[in-house]
Amino acid sequence: MQFLSQAEDRIGEENWTEAIRLLKHILLLSPSADSIRNRLGLCYIHNQQWDEAIKTYQSLTQSNPDVALYWSNFGYAYKEKAESLSESDTRRSVIYQGARHCFYKSIDLEPFNSQHFIAIAQTFLAEENYSEALNWAEKAVGADGKVDFQDFDALFLICIIHLRNNQVEQVTSTAERIISCLPADEDVRNYVAARFAIVGSELVQVGAKYINPKILKAALIFMEAAKRFSPGNVEIAKIHQDIAEVVSAFNQYDVLKDDYQIIHGFKRLAAFSIINVLGVQDSDYERDRNFNSIIEEISNSTDSEVIASAQRIKTKYPTIYLLNSGFFARLEKAAMEIASKQQYQPQYQATNNSSDSCFVVTATYGTPYAPEVMKYRYFRDEYLTKNILGRKFISHYYRFGPIAASYIKKHPNVKKVMAFILGNLANYLPNEK
């Protein structure tokens, strides 16, 4: 009893090696203690000593052929060993067959126990035999002759099988089956919602990592189910809304990418906005490089093309527009200002009109659509033009600005220095409201 108490403590600590040593010592003192041998087999499984576990349960099932628990644990020893092997390992199939043989034995002894059917379904799922996996999962649902909350594990497994088999629409119908057998207990519903939300969150991470819209759509279905089980859960509702927006953006992008009325630079910007929302972990350098490349391409388009593209995205693809509405709006505004200047005023004319270009800043950043250029333009229009000193500064700036801009364009090193200075100064300028 002392050794057993110590072994139980080690099991509680998940110190499987020490627990195994103590259990083996007990069996030396009492070789016929089958319950201790069963505990030893479970410790072997937890310690990933598959072959020792298999030998232990071979012995137990030979001496106790009518105990379903021993056959079931025997099957799990085989199942865990198979799952530890790579998918290319040819031994997996034979080992899974061994596991199923044990589970069949446990079903013969306990035909009402759904866990045995679920275990068989899981082995077929691991081998991507979806029809057999679904068949055994359905048998698990009806194992005890009724459908109630005790069948949740089997029904949830059916959801996973449909997901793996790319039948994501079937997840919704299976969720309906779960709802029909749920008790009114709020804790139970929250538990079910959490199970669906966990899978949904994991799918979001995978979908974001590989930028896979199909996986994100599956995540949305799981989160929709979670929201139905627990409609008052604010966190689930927020995750559901975020995923729904991204999925909607992907659906709109499938149309936008073939829209001839939108310039290529804006198509790239739309894709960049979606990826940015997903939080894909590009380096800051790579993200900035891609962004600057997009802005440079847009700046080479005509102002009318920029304006038309921005307005079309806003009206025809609102979800994409809202992902980065502030930036789309600033691009459109800048293009309209430049177009207005070119239409009504000769180039480089000194004037107080707010539509004139920021020569030095534009030359430094290489495009009138750079965020820093927009910030300086906003500061000029909203602050400098509204007082006497500011307007005098603008007047002098338009006299010498084009000369300075020309010099900056011809000297890359000066451009770098100016970018550093102007970038730091921009941090102190007010943001556009």
PDB file of all heavy atoms in Angstrom, residues 33 44 79-80 103 114 128 150 175 179 219 225 254 278 293 313 331 381 414:
ATOM      1  N   ALA A  33      -1.818  -9.108  -9.100  1.00  0.00           N
ATOM      2  CA  ALA A  33      -2.582  -7.862  -8.973  1.00  0.00           C
ATOM      3  C   ALA A  33      -2.797  -7.257 -10.365  1.00  0.00           C
ATOM      4  O   ALA A  33      -2.020  -6.415 -10.826  1.00  0.00           O
ATOM      5  CB  ALA A  33      -1.857  -6.887  -8.057  1.00  0.00           C
ATOM      6  N   TYR A  44       3.086   2.980 -19.228  1.00  0.00           N
ATOM      7  CA  TYR A  44       3.929   2.712 -20.402  1.00  0.00           C
ATOM      8  C   TYR A  44       3.428   3.534 -21.603  1.00  0.00           C
ATOM      9  O   TYR A  44       4.220   4.107 -22.362  1.00  0.00           O
ATOM     10  CB  TYR A  44       3.908   1.226 -20.758  1.00  0.00           C
ATOM     11  CG  TYR A  44       4.848   0.361 -19.937  1.00  0.00           C
ATOM     12  CD1 TYR A  44       4.433  -0.881 -19.456  1.00  0.00           C
ATOM     13  CD2 TYR A  44       6.159   0.764 -19.686  1.00  0.00           C
ATOM     14  CE1 TYR A  44       5.299  -1.687 -18.724  1.00  0.00           C
ATOM     15  CE2 TYR A  44       7.031  -0.025 -18.962  1.00  0.00           C
ATOM     16  CZ  TYR A  44       6.595  -1.261 -18.474  1.00  0.00           C
ATOM     17  OH  TYR A  44       7.458  -2.049 -17.759  1.00  0.00           O
ATOM     18  N   LYS A  79      -2.837   1.849 -31.017  1.00  0.00           N
ATOM     19  CA  LYS A  79      -3.222   3.096 -31.692  1.00  0.00           C
ATOM     20  C   LYS A  79      -2.183   4.192 -31.469  1.00  0.00           C
ATOM     21  O   LYS A  79      -1.771   4.879 -32.410  1.00  0.00           O
ATOM     22  CB  LYS A  79      -4.588   3.540 -31.166  1.00  0.00           C
ATOM     23  CG  LYS A  79      -5.131   4.828 -31.769  1.00  0.00           C
ATOM     24  CD  LYS A  79      -6.545   5.053 -31.287  1.00  0.00           C
ATOM     25  CE  LYS A  79      -7.088   6.414 -31.706  1.00  0.00           C
ATOM     26  NZ  LYS A  79      -6.475   7.520 -30.961  1.00  0.00           N
ATOM     27  N   GLU A  80      -1.726   4.336 -30.232  1.00  0.00           N
ATOM     28  CA  GLU A  80      -0.729   5.362 -29.924  1.00  0.00           C
ATOM     29  C   GLU A  80       0.595   5.069 -30.626  1.00  0.00           C
ATOM     30  O   GLU A  80       1.282   5.978 -31.090  1.00  0.00           O
ATOM     31  CB  GLU A  80      -0.515   5.453 -28.413  1.00  0.00           C
ATOM     32  CG  GLU A  80      -1.717   5.950 -27.634  1.00  0.00           C
ATOM     33  CD  GLU A  80      -1.992   7.423 -27.873  1.00  0.00           C
ATOM     34  OE1 GLU A  80      -1.047   8.150 -28.208  1.00  0.00           O
ATOM     35  OE2 GLU A  80      -3.148   7.839 -27.722  1.00  0.00           O
ATOM     36  N   PHE A 103     -10.232  -3.346 -30.225  1.00  0.00           N
ATOM     37  CA  PHE A 103     -11.466  -2.597 -29.987  1.00  0.00           C
ATOM     38  C   PHE A 103     -12.697  -3.427 -30.351  1.00  0.00           C
ATOM     39  O   PHE A 103     -13.752  -3.305 -29.699  1.00  0.00           O
ATOM     40  CB  PHE A 103     -11.463  -1.281 -30.766  1.00  0.00           C
ATOM     41  CG  PHE A 103     -10.443  -0.280 -30.274  1.00  0.00           C
ATOM     42  CD1 PHE A 103      -9.573   0.361 -31.153  1.00  0.00           C
ATOM     43  CD2 PHE A 103     -10.351   0.021 -28.924  1.00  0.00           C
ATOM     44  CE1 PHE A 103      -8.650   1.285 -30.690  1.00  0.00           C
ATOM     45  CE2 PHE A 103      -9.420   0.947 -28.455  1.00  0.00           C
ATOM     46  CZ  PHE A 103      -8.558   1.575 -29.345  1.00  0.00           C
ATOM     47  N   SER A 114     -19.906   3.690 -26.231  1.00  0.00           N
ATOM     48  CA  SER A 114     -19.610   4.414 -27.475  1.00  0.00           C
ATOM     49  C   SER A 114     -18.118   4.687 -27.663  1.00  0.00           C
ATOM     50  O   SER A 114     -17.659   4.869 -28.797  1.00  0.00           O
ATOM     51  CB  SER A 114     -20.376   5.736 -27.506  1.00  0.00           C
ATOM     52  OG  SER A 114     -19.965   6.585 -26.444  1.00  0.00           O
ATOM     53  N   GLU A 128      -7.213   8.236 -43.277  1.00  0.00           N
ATOM     54  CA  GLU A 128      -7.961   8.995 -44.283  1.00  0.00           C
ATOM     55  C   GLU A 128      -9.004   8.136 -44.990  1.00  0.00           C
ATOM     56  O   GLU A 128      -9.367   8.391 -46.152  1.00  0.00           O
ATOM     57  CB  GLU A 128      -7.018   9.643 -45.297  1.00  0.00           C
ATOM     58  CG  GLU A 128      -6.054  10.639 -44.657  1.00  0.00           C
ATOM     59  CD  GLU A 128      -5.162  11.336 -45.657  1.00  0.00           C
ATOM     60  OE1 GLU A 128      -5.221  10.979 -46.857  1.00  0.00           O
ATOM     61  OE2 GLU A 128      -4.417  12.233 -45.258  1.00  0.00           O
ATOM     62  N   GLN A 150     -24.679  12.497 -24.044  1.00  0.00           N
ATOM     63  CA  GLN A 150     -23.589  11.536 -23.884  1.00  0.00           C
ATOM     64  C   GLN A 150     -22.950  11.186 -25.227  1.00  0.00           C
ATOM     65  O   GLN A 150     -21.848  10.660 -25.284  1.00  0.00           O
ATOM     66  CB  GLN A 150     -24.105  10.251 -23.203  1.00  0.00           C
ATOM     67  CG  GLN A 150     -24.725  10.492 -21.831  1.00  0.00           C
ATOM     68  CD  GLN A 150     -23.775  11.177 -20.870  1.00  0.00           C
ATOM     69  OE1 GLN A 150     -22.593  10.849 -20.813  1.00  0.00           O
ATOM     70  NE2 GLN A 150     -24.279  12.169 -20.123  1.00  0.00           N
ATOM     71  N   ALA A 175     -23.909  20.124 -36.356  1.00  0.00           N
ATOM     72  CA  ALA A 175     -24.104  21.023 -35.214  1.00  0.00           C
ATOM     73  C   ALA A 175     -25.585  21.095 -34.833  1.00  0.00           C
ATOM     74  O   ALA A 175     -25.929  21.175 -33.646  1.00  0.00           O
ATOM     75  CB  ALA A 175     -23.571  22.412 -35.543  1.00  0.00           C
ATOM     76  N   ILE A 179     -27.280  20.394 -31.203  1.00  0.00           N
ATOM     77  CA  ILE A 179     -28.208  21.319 -30.547  1.00  0.00           C
ATOM     78  C   ILE A 179     -29.471  20.587 -30.091  1.00  0.00           C
ATOM     79  O   ILE A 179     -29.998  20.817 -29.003  1.00  0.00           O
ATOM     80  CB  ILE A 179     -28.567  22.480 -31.496  1.00  0.00           C
ATOM     81  CG1 ILE A 179     -27.355  23.396 -31.690  1.00  0.00           C
ATOM     82  CG2 ILE A 179     -29.745  23.285 -30.961  1.00  0.00           C
ATOM     83  CD1 ILE A 179     -27.546  24.470 -32.734  1.00  0.00           C
ATOM     84  N   ALA A 219     -13.130  27.494 -40.557  1.00  0.00           N
ATOM     85  CA  ALA A 219     -13.032  28.109 -39.228  1.00  0.00           C
ATOM     86  C   ALA A 219     -14.289  28.911 -38.920  1.00  0.00           C
ATOM     87  O   ALA A 219     -14.805  28.885 -37.798  1.00  0.00           O
ATOM     88  CB  ALA A 219     -11.802  29.008 -39.156  1.00  0.00           C
ATOM     89  N   ALA A 225     -21.034  27.825 -35.252  1.00  0.00           N
ATOM     90  CA  ALA A 225     -21.640  26.833 -34.362  1.00  0.00           C
ATOM     91  C   ALA A 225     -21.401  27.210 -32.906  1.00  0.00           C
ATOM     92  O   ALA A 225     -22.317  27.150 -32.076  1.00  0.00           O
ATOM     93  CB  ALA A 225     -21.058  25.450 -34.657  1.00  0.00           C
ATOM     94  N   ASP A 254     -11.800  37.559 -54.896  1.00  0.00           N
ATOM     95  CA  ASP A 254     -11.905  36.638 -56.033  1.00  0.00           C
ATOM     96  C   ASP A 254     -12.519  37.337 -57.239  1.00  0.00           C
ATOM     97  O   ASP A 254     -12.207  37.011 -58.390  1.00  0.00           O
ATOM     98  CB  ASP A 254     -12.772  35.426 -55.642  1.00  0.00           C
ATOM     99  CG  ASP A 254     -12.006  34.430 -54.789  1.00  0.00           C
ATOM    100  OD1 ASP A 254     -10.762  34.483 -54.797  1.00  0.00           O
ATOM    101  OD2 ASP A 254     -12.653  33.609 -54.100  1.00  0.00           O
ATOM    102  N   LEU A 278      -4.626  39.375 -41.460  1.00  0.00           N
ATOM    103  CA  LEU A 278      -4.412  38.014 -40.970  1.00  0.00           C
ATOM    104  C   LEU A 278      -3.227  37.918 -40.027  1.00  0.00           C
ATOM    105  O   LEU A 278      -3.086  36.938 -39.291  1.00  0.00           O
ATOM    106  CB  LEU A 278      -4.187  37.061 -42.153  1.00  0.00           C
ATOM    107  CG  LEU A 278      -5.426  36.748 -43.005  1.00  0.00           C
ATOM    108  CD1 LEU A 278      -5.039  35.904 -44.194  1.00  0.00           C
ATOM    109  CD2 LEU A 278      -6.472  36.038 -42.177  1.00  0.00           C
ATOM    110  N   SER A 293       6.714  49.006 -52.711  1.00  0.00           N
ATOM    111  CA  SER A 293       6.620  48.598 -54.110  1.00  0.00           C
ATOM    112  C   SER A 293       5.211  48.839 -54.649  1.00  0.00           C
ATOM    113  O   SER A 293       5.024  49.305 -55.778  1.00  0.00           O
ATOM    114  CB  SER A 293       6.984  47.116 -54.244  1.00  0.00           C
ATOM    115  OG  SER A 293       6.718  46.643 -55.549  1.00  0.00           O
ATOM    116  N   ILE A 313     -13.497  50.411 -55.445  1.00  0.00           N
ATOM    117  CA  ILE A 313     -13.301  49.489 -54.315  1.00  0.00           C
ATOM    118  C   ILE A 313     -14.245  49.849 -53.175  1.00  0.00           C
ATOM    119  O   ILE A 313     -14.835  48.973 -52.533  1.00  0.00           O
ATOM    120  CB  ILE A 313     -11.831  49.510 -53.846  1.00  0.00           C
ATOM    121  CG1 ILE A 313     -10.937  48.839 -54.887  1.00  0.00           C
ATOM    122  CG2 ILE A 313     -11.674  48.811 -52.503  1.00  0.00           C
ATOM    123  CD1 ILE A 313      -9.462  48.870 -54.558  1.00  0.00           C
ATOM    124  N   LEU A 331      -5.319  57.986 -50.266  1.00  0.00           N
ATOM    125  CA  LEU A 331      -4.827  57.875 -51.643  1.00  0.00           C
ATOM    126  C   LEU A 331      -5.761  58.596 -52.605  1.00  0.00           C
ATOM    127  O   LEU A 331      -5.322  59.332 -53.492  1.00  0.00           O
ATOM    128  CB  LEU A 331      -4.726  56.394 -52.043  1.00  0.00           C
ATOM    129  CG  LEU A 331      -3.532  55.606 -51.511  1.00  0.00           C
ATOM    130  CD1 LEU A 331      -3.666  54.140 -51.896  1.00  0.00           C
ATOM    131  CD2 LEU A 331      -2.221  56.152 -52.057  1.00  0.00           C
ATOM    132  N   ASP A 381      -2.461  71.921 -45.214  1.00  0.00           N
ATOM    133  CA  ASP A 381      -3.820  72.355 -45.550  1.00  0.00           C
ATOM    134  C   ASP A 381      -4.628  72.769 -44.328  1.00  0.00           C
ATOM    135  O   ASP A 381      -5.413  73.724 -44.382  1.00  0.00           O
ATOM    136  CB  ASP A 381      -4.559  71.236 -46.288  1.00  0.00           C
ATOM    137  CG  ASP A 381      -3.956  70.971 -47.654  1.00  0.00           C
ATOM    138  OD1 ASP A 381      -3.167  71.822 -48.125  1.00  0.00           O
ATOM    139  OD2 ASP A 381      -4.254  69.918 -48.251  1.00  0.00           O
ATOM    140  N   VAL A 414      21.628  62.206 -50.159  1.00  0.00           N
ATOM    141  CA  VAL A 414      20.868  63.321 -49.580  1.00  0.00           C
ATOM    142  C   VAL A 414      19.425  62.877 -49.322  1.00  0.00           C
ATOM    143  O   VAL A 414      18.812  63.230 -48.301  1.00  0.00           O
ATOM    144  CB  VAL A 414      20.899  64.542 -50.519  1.00  0.00           C
ATOM    145  CG1 VAL A 414      20.023  65.663 -49.959  1.00  0.00           C
ATOM    146  CG2 VAL A 414      22.337  65.023 -50.714  1.00  0.00           C
TER     147      VAL A 414
END
